[in-house]
């Protein structure tokens, strides 16, 4: 009889709802910060000055970095998104290495730093002000996109008298390079401009034209396509609207 009563009580307890508190994100972040060694922007600058090869772990996603317009400029910056942190951290830092963790505003990185500490990384430093604080202080940043604010991947540069180019990214077409993964160029002649490569899309061609207009007010008369690949010719429709003559080898046309 007693055995049956005890079994019944145990069975009831298994199906009874737990009364544990469900924490909000803000509560989790506040709790995490209590156990972390925090560095301010000033302290991080001092650390990087004394030890310029200090590793910085950025736990933002790639899309976050694009949205925030870049990342901290330092000698050793690694992007490990929070979702894959436990899987990748051992490939980047050693067990006893001092390193700094940050995100956009310090929330995600607080949880990331707490997690790293819990799995044995004793020398993790938490940069609470994070990238937003770094930006606000006007400190140097880098970006996968070399020309922020333009569809072009990189600014136009002068090669020689009357000759200019904008170097594309050596990679497939991506969001960061807007399809600008080859070199665009132009030559300023006596009465007009010759453009080398139409660009990979209409907006890229238009953006390149805007750069040309800042250097000369002469019209673009010719656009030469180096081949039939998309990044060389898909912007041709824009140049045709400008009444430019598209020039290509007959094989490329075919």
């Amino acid at each position: 009889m007693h055995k049956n009563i005890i079994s019944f009580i145990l069975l009831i307890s298994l199906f009874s709802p737990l009364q544990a508190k469900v924490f909000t994100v803000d509560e989790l972040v506040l709790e995490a910060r209590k156990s972390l060694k925090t560095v301010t922007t000033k302290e991080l600058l001092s650390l990087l000055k004394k030890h310029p090869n200090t590793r910085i772990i950025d736990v933002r996603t790639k899309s976050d970095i694009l949205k925030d317009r870049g990342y901290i400029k330092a000698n050793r910056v690694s992007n490990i998104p929070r979702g894959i942190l436990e899987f990748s951290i051992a490939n980047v830092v050693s067990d006893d290495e001092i390193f700094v963790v940050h995100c956009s505003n310090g929330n995600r990185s607080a949880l990331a730093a707490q997690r790293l500490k819990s799995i044995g990384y004793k020398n993790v430093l938490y940069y609470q002000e994070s990238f937003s604080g770094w930006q606000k202080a006007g400190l140097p940043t880098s970006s996968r996109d070399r020309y922020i604010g333009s569809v072009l991947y990189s600014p136009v540069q002068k090669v020689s008298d009357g000759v200019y180019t904008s170097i594309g990214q050596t990679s497939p077409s991506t969001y960061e390079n807007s399809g600008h993964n080859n070199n665009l160029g132009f030559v300023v002649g006596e009465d007009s401009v010759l453009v080398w490569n139409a660009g990979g899309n209409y907006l890229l061609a238009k953006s390149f034209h805007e750069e040309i207009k800042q250097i000369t007010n002469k019209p673009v008369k010719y656009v030469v396509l180096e081949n039939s690949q998309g990044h060389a010719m898909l912007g041709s429709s824009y140049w045709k609207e400008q009444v430019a003559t598209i020039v290509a080898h007959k094989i490329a046309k075919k």
Side-chain angles (χ1 to χ4, degrees), residues 27-92:
E27 288 172 330
L28 287 172
V29 170
L30 287 173
E31 188 63 28
R33 286 173 176 168
K34 293 177 184 177
S35 63
L36 300 174
K37 185 174 181 180
T38 303
V39 290
T40 64
T41 300
K42 185 177 180 180
E43 289 168 337
L44 179 55
L45 283 171
S46 179
L47 176 63
L48 292 174
K49 187 175 181 179
K50 292 178 183 176
H51 305 286
N53 288 324
T54 299
R55 174 77 62 183
I56 295 177
I57 304 295
D58 188 333
V59 299
R60 293 175 295 167
T61 62
K62 184 178 179 180
S63 60
D64 289 331
I65 293 172
L66 288 171
K67 182 181 68 176
D68 295 341
R69 293 193 159 191
Y71 51 90
I72 290 174
K73 187 173 183 179
N75 288 354
R76 301 175 73 198
V77 176
S78 297
N79 176 220
I80 309 178
R82 176 64 189 91
I84 61 170
L85 188 63
E86 291 88 345
F87 299 95
S88 303
I89 190 66
N91 299 323
V92 179

Side-chain angles (χ1 to χ4, degrees), residues 168-184:
Q169 187 177 28
T170 308
S171 82
S173 179
T174 65
Y175 179 88
E176 295 101 304
N177 62 38
S178 305
H180 186 191
N181 59 347
N182 68 333
N183 299 338
L184 305 177

Side-chain angles (χ1 to χ4, degrees), residues 162 186-195 209 212-221 239:
F186 65 95
V187 180
V188 181
E190 290 184 4
D191 58 2
S192 63
V193 175
L194 179 147
V195 168
H209 196 194
I212 294 172
K213 291 176 182 177
Q214 292 183 34
I215 293 169
T216 178
N217 58 6
K218 295 175 182 178
V220 174
K221 191 171 183 180
W239 296 111

